[in-house]
């Protein structure tokens, strides 16, 4: 699993106490994009670990977990559903999520290279060859088609290129950072001067990784929810409430 030294530079709208955008490098963007490669079983397990989640997936997950293996076909394992492996496009992708089994499109075969054995490969090195009953633990390399091989010659892992900075919005919209997009964002958000923004660098580890994944299912203000301490937001809310309540009490 890749290292977890991923950081993010938040630009906070001080007036609203909300993240306007974050400046991110390739690692964080690759992490966000890796959400789309996660099997639903892996996501459900992470969300269950993190507390209560809505919808029916938790009860479906729990019911498979509780179902006796007597009802599962002998050639299948419940782990394929409950702990599915993620297929990674690169070995160094920062998957900031705990206990996610990953495979770099890794395949295995048995030690025999003749006869029927040649037609079997496995995705798990504990598999037994159906032909010779040996353990299928020899690595087999998965080869990309020519266009992908050419693109991969840069030796970069993950999904996006690393030479540029990216902008990640509070609702996780991702775009390349440019002065034009920045100016249009500031105008749209009514931020008059750069002094209205507070800069804050945050580290993103496993804990934040799970929070980001969970919040992305439930919120449109993910970065604010995960990285801005709740007390600050509460204080701002209570100030707002005070402002609403005062005129009413005054009129009584
Ligand atoms: Zn074999």
């Amino acid at each position: 699993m890749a290292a977890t030294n991923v950081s993010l530079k938040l630009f906070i709208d001080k007036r609203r106490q909300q993240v306007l955008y974050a400046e991110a490098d390739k690692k964080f963007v690759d992490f966000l994009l890796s959400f789309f490669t996660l099997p639903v079983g892996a996501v459900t397990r992470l969300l269950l670990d993190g507390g209560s989640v809505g919808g029916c997936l938790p009860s479906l997950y729990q019911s498979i977990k509780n179902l006796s293996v007597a009802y599962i076909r002998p050639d299948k394992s419940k782990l394929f559903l409950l702990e599915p492996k993620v297929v990674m496009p690169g070995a160094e992708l920062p998957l900031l999520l705990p206990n996610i089994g990953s495979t770099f499109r890794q395949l295995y075969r048995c030690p025999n290279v003749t006869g029927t054995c040649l037609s079997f490969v496995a995705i798990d090195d504990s598999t037994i060859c159906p032909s010779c009953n040996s353990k299928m633990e020899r690595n087999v390399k998965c080869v990309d088609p020519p266009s992908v091989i050419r693109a991969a010659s840069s030796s970069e892992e993950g999904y996006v290129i690393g030479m540029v900075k990216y902008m990640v919005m509070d609702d996780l919209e991702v775009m390349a950072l440019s002065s034009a997009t920045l100016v249009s964002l500031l105008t749209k958000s009514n931020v008059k001067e750069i002094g209205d923004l507070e800069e804050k660098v945050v580290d993103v580890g496993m804990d934040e990784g799970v929070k980001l994944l969970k919040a992305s299912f439930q919120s449109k203000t993910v970065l604010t929810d995960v990285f801005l301490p709740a007390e600050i937001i509460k204080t701002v809310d209570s100030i707002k409430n005070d402002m609403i309540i005062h005129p009413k009490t005054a009129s009584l």
Side-chain angles (χ1 to χ4, degrees), residues 8-23 167-170 182 185-186 189-202 221-230 232-233 236:
L8 200 58
K9 196 189 274 179
L10 304 176
F11 289 86
I12 302 160
D13 182 337
K14 286 198 275 194
R15 232 165 1 108
R16 299 192 184 97
Q17 272 305 308
Q18 212 169 21
V19 175
L20 185 63
Y21 73 97
E23 193 182 300
M167 255 170 116
V168 180
M169 310 307 289
D170 207 10
L182 191 53
L185 171 68
L186 294 178
S189 345
N190 244 336
V191 175
K192 301 275 185 300
E193 41 192 303
I194 213 79
D196 292 342
L197 294 179
E198 183 193 336
E199 219 178 289
K200 186 182 176 191
V201 177
V202 290
T221 54
V222 172
L223 299 179
T224 299
D225 296 355
V226 173
F227 295 108
L228 290 202
I232 296 177
I233 296 168
V236 172

Side-chain angles (χ1 to χ4, degrees), residues 93-109:
L93 187 62
L95 191 68
L96 300 165
L97 298 169
N99 305 321
I100 290 276
S102 61
T103 168
F104 178 45
R105 287 171 296 185
Q106 187 59 66
L107 300 171
Y108 303 91
R109 62 168 174 81

Side-chain angles (χ1 to χ4, degrees), residues 17 22 30 34 54 105 121 125 136 142 154 171 179 181 208 229 241 243 246:
Q17 272 305 308
D30 277 342
S34 75
R105 287 171 296 185
V121 286
D125 62 357
M136 301 178 72
C142 187
S154 67
D171 66 357
S179 36
T181 35
E208 292 77 18
N241 286 341
M243 287 161 74
H246 277 266

Side-chain angles (χ1 to χ4, degrees), residues 132-145:
C132 69
N133 287 328
S134 307
K135 235 180 170 187
M136 301 178 72
E137 51 189 7
R138 297 254 170 129
N139 284 351
V140 178
K141 238 186 170 164
C142 187
V143 183
D144 285 316

Side-chain angles (χ1 to χ4, degrees), residues 11 61 74 140 147 155 172 199 212 224 226 237 239-240 252:
F11 289 86
Y61 186 92
V140 178
S147 58
S155 82
L172 298 188
E199 219 178 289
L212 285 166
T224 299
V226 173
D237 278 349
I239 293 167
K240 273 191 216 152
L252 284 174

Side-chain angles (χ1 to χ4, degrees), residues 3-166:
T4 54
N5 55 337
V6 175
S7 65
L8 200 58
K9 196 189 274 179
L10 304 176
F11 289 86
I12 302 160
D13 182 337
K14 286 198 275 194
R15 232 165 1 108
R16 299 192 184 97
Q17 272 305 308
Q18 212 169 21
V19 175
L20 185 63
Y21 73 97
E23 193 182 300
D25 62 15
K26 167 187 167 54
K27 281 185 181 174
F28 184 74
V29 175
D30 277 342
F31 166 64
L32 288 184
L33 297 184
S34 75
F35 286 0
F36 295 124
T37 69
L38 296 173
V40 176
V43 172
T44 307
R45 183 175 56 77
L46 284 171
L47 299 187
L48 275 171
D49 286 350
S52 59
V53 272
C56 305
L57 287 173
S59 59
L60 174 62
Y61 186 92
Q62 206 57 48
S63 65
I64 300 164
K65 211 172 172 181
N66 297 340
L67 189 69
S68 161
V69 284
Y71 296 101
I72 304 291
R73 284 177 41 182
D75 61 332
K76 293 284 182 287
S77 163
K78 284 208 279 185
L79 292 182
F80 278 111
L81 305 168
L82 300 175
E83 291 174 27
K85 284 191 173 180
V86 182
V87 178
M88 312 279 255
E92 292 304 315
L93 187 62
L95 191 68
L96 300 165
L97 298 169
N99 305 321
I100 290 276
S102 61
T103 168
F104 178 45
R105 287 171 296 185
Q106 187 59 66
L107 300 171
Y108 303 91
R109 62 168 174 81
C110 74
N112 294 323
V113 287
T114 50
T116 327
C117 287
L118 274 179
S119 39
F120 298 116
V121 286
I123 55 166
D124 192 299
D125 62 357
S126 64
T127 311
I128 303 296
C129 174
S131 168
C132 69
N133 287 328
S134 307
K135 235 180 170 187
M136 301 178 72
E137 51 189 7
R138 297 254 170 129
N139 284 351
V140 178
K141 238 186 170 164
C142 187
V143 183
D144 285 316
S147 58
V148 182
I149 292 173
R150 270 200 305 279
S153 62
S154 67
S155 82
E156 241 180 3
E157 309 284 2
Y159 304 103
V160 292
I161 59 166
M163 302 296 284
V164 290
K165 289 278 181 196
Y166 296 89

